[in-house]
């Protein structure tokens, strides 16, 4: 029989939708059996079968679902700290690009790095997220832009999930940028789609992503990638409407995408389309902050349409070198005017949905026992504090 454990002396922010904010249960208990939650409720109502099992008191602390970072580019070579300096010294994007910077520099560094180097560089970033109560991380490819390097990135992502107590969900992002001097359509046909086929054949792909923007690919080109994903039986998601409005959110909705990410330039009509498709809007305040953007996502339109909103770090070396999901929650509140409850739902229940995961993101019977235990009095403190990590412990699959 799997190990049984009774967690007591806690407040549970279950994040189960209902009439109570955060799905909060004061003076709660949680019954865990193996890797699953068997029961959660008031401590006085613990089922008889869990009265004589191992008991662990959590000292009155707050328990939430383990956090989920649903959008990262955590595997890459090199960094772009010098570009950060150059921008502050007055250099334009074009000047940085002419100096060999921008995504081209990350592509070059990633191509030059072997699998072990990419892995050793990525693990500290993963460990920092785990230390903040994260139990699931999405990892994208997209800095290879050739078959060999895209596969290498995806293999590293899979290895991270084997080497650390964290669930890794992979997204193939071969349609991330057009290599220098390359024709976009030829690249899609001769590099991106064959790389997707190869990665899928190797069991490396959980979803397919793309970057639909004037500096990347148009809607027709992304549609070809999504058509191939459909043939392979893979769900899709999309970097949409980040820098301009190109119709990419509507495209994502048309394909029933798991999520449309960034969405700063999305419209009320886009919000209604996402709601009808059941897609999640993933908000990425780190990129908004780093790029000093001024166009905020239409949060109120998403609320009114009933679009679930997730929050991610978008951890990447260029536009969002943000390695803290807790800080992303704070930024989502301060920059995008999310409520703290929306920010926590965005890194638990809605983040799980953005990855197509139905077995986590809430504390309720039948879901994975992925939990975060916090030294805070109220859930709002998780978004309120800046540069603070109040994690007491993390429980992953029933084990801490």
């Amino acid at each position: 029989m799997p190990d049984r454990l009774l967690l007591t002396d806690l407040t549970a922010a279950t994040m189960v939708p209902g009439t109570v904010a955060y799905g909060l249960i004061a003076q709660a208990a949680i019954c865990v059996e193996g890797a699953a939650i068997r029961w959660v409720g008031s401590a006085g109502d613990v089922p008889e079968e869990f009265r004589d099992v191992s008991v662990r008191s959590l000292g009155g602390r707050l328990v939430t679902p383990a956090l989920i970072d649903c959008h990262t580019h955590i595997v890459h070579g090199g960094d772009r700290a010098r570009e950060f300096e150059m921008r502050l010294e007055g250099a334009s994007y074009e000047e940085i690009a002419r100096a060999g910077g921008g995504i081209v520099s990350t592509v070059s560094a990633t191509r030059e790095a072997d699998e072990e180097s990419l892995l050793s560089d990525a693990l500290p970033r993963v460990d920092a997220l785990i230390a903040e109560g994260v139990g699931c991380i999405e990892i994208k490819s997209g800095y290879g832009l050739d078959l060999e390097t895209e596969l290498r990135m995806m293999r590293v992502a899979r290895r991270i999930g084997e080497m650390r107590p964290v669930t890794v969900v992979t997204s193939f992002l071969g349609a991330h940028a057009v290599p220098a001097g390359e024709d976009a359509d030829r690249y899609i046909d001769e590099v991106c789609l064959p790389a997707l086929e190869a990665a899928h054949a190797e069991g490396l792909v959980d979803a397919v992503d793309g970057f639909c923007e004037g500096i990347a690919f148009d809607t027709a080109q992304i549609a070809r990638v999504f058509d191939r994903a459909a043939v392979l039986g893979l769900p899709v998601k999309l970097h949409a409407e980040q820098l301009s409005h190109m119709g990419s959110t509507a495209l994502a909705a048309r394909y029933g995408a798991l999520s449309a990410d960034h969405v700063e330039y999305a419209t009320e009509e886009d919000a209604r389309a996402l709601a009808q498709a059941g897609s999640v809007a993933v908000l990425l305040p780190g990129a908004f902050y780093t790029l000093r953007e001024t166009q905020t996502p239409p949060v109120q339109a998403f609320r009114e349409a009933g679009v679930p909103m997730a929050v991610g770090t978008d951890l990447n070396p260029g536009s969002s070198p943000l390695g803290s999901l807790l800080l992303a929650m704070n930024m989502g509140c301060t920059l995008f005017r999310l409520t703290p409850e929306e920010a926590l739902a965005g890194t638990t229940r809605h983040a799980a949905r953005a990855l197509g995961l139905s077995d986590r993101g809430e504390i309720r019977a039948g879901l994975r026992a992925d939990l975060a235990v916090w030294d805070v009095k109220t859930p709002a403190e998780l978004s309120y504090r800046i540069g603070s990590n109040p994690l007491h412990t993390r429980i992953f699959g029933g084990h801490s």
Side-chain angles (χ1 to χ4, degrees):
M1 179 178 293
D3 293 338
R4 289 182 168 184
L5 175 65
L6 176 61
L7 303 174
T8 64
D9 194 13
L10 62 96
T11 297
T14 67
M15 303 313 295
V16 175
T19 58
V20 179
Y22 302 96
L24 207 64
I25 304 174
Q27 299 178 347
I30 301 172
C31 300
V32 174
E33 185 170 13
I37 299 166
R38 279 286 305 276
W39 179 90
V40 58
S42 297
D45 298 329
V46 173
E48 187 66 34
E49 63 184 299
F50 277 90
R51 296 290 174 88
D52 296 318
V53 301
S54 297
V55 177
R56 181 176 175 185
S57 171
L58 295 181
R61 294 180 173 88
L62 177 76
V63 180
T64 71
L67 304 185
I68 298 169
D69 194 344
C70 63
H71 185 126
T72 86
H73 305 254
I74 213 165
V75 174
H76 62 262
D79 66 73
R80 280 146 69 180
R82 177 55 189 146
E83 292 179 31
F84 177 70
E85 287 185 316
M86 292 172 69
R87 283 198 302 272
L88 295 176
E89 291 165 357
S92 68
Y93 180 86
E94 290 77 16
E95 289 168 335
I96 291 172
R98 284 199 299 269
I103 192 172
V104 172
S105 66
T106 299
V107 170
S108 297
T110 304
R111 287 177 176 178
E112 292 170 3
D114 61 20
E115 192 169 309
E116 296 305 319
S117 299
L118 290 174
L119 179 65
S120 63
D121 286 348
L123 286 175
R125 303 172 195 134
V126 172
D127 290 340
L129 289 173
I130 290 173
E132 286 194 342
V134 172
C136 179
I137 302 171
E138 185 257 16
I139 300 178
K140 304 179 190 297
S141 68
Y143 286 125
L145 308 185
D146 62 23
L147 188 147
E148 179 184 346
T149 315
E150 290 292 304
L151 291 178
R152 188 184 311 138
M153 293 181 71
M154 301 295 275
R155 293 184 191 117
V156 169
R158 284 284 191 245
R159 287 183 64 187
I160 288 170
E162 296 167 357
M163 296 179 66
R164 291 293 189 268
V166 68
T167 300
V168 169
V169 177
T170 61
S171 295
F172 176 83
L173 184 57
H176 189 196
V178 183
E182 183 65 88
D183 174 77
D185 287 304
R186 193 205 71 83
Y187 169 78
I188 292 290
D189 289 335
E190 298 183 13
V191 179
C192 179
L193 295 180
L196 171 57
E197 296 271 4
H200 176 259
E202 204 171 313
L204 300 174
V205 186
D206 296 320
V208 176
D209 200 347
F211 186 24
C212 191
E213 192 56 70
I215 60 173
F217 299 94
D218 63 28
T219 54
Q221 290 158 345
I222 293 296
R224 286 159 52 204
V225 178
F226 282 5
D227 286 340
R228 187 64 57 88
V231 170
L232 297 174
L234 294 169
V236 299
K237 58 212 302 73
L238 187 61
H239 290 60
E241 254 77 81
Q242 180 186 6
L243 305 173
S244 63
H245 190 273
M246 291 186 59
S248 50
T249 304
L251 175 72
R254 194 157 64 247
Y255 279 86
L258 292 173
S259 68
D261 301 29
H262 289 288
V263 293
E264 280 91 333
Y265 284 83
T267 64
E268 291 183 6
E269 184 178 355
D270 292 329
R272 290 190 291 269
L274 290 178
Q276 186 171 4
S279 303
V280 177
V282 178
L283 309 184
L284 302 169
F288 176 89
Y289 169 84
T290 301
L291 297 177
R292 302 174 70 180
E293 292 290 340
T294 56
Q295 175 83 20
T296 58
V299 167
Q300 187 57 33
F302 292 147
R303 288 182 183 130
E304 292 174 357
V307 178
M309 292 180 285
V311 177
T313 62
D314 191 17
L315 175 53
N316 73 72
S319 64
S320 185
L322 172 61
S324 167
L325 191 55
L326 290 173
L327 182 53
M329 291 166 63
N330 172 270
M331 295 169 83
C333 293
T334 56
L335 299 176
F336 296 162
R337 295 294 187 263
L338 295 180
T339 67
E341 184 176 5
E342 286 173 330
L344 186 54
T347 53
T348 55
R349 181 175 75 246
H350 295 158
R353 182 169 170 177
L355 298 179
L357 301 175
S358 59
D359 64 343
R360 67 197 72 205
E362 300 174 12
I363 303 176
R364 59 180 172 87
L367 300 194
R368 274 183 60 90
D370 286 359
L371 307 169
V373 183
W374 307 95
D375 285 315
V376 299
K377 293 182 175 62
T378 67
E381 288 186 59
L382 299 178
S383 295
Y384 156 69
R385 300 193 179 278
I386 303 173
S388 172
N389 180 6
L391 185 73
H392 174 72
T393 192
R394 193 192 64 139
I395 296 172
F396 181 72
H399 298 280
S400 57

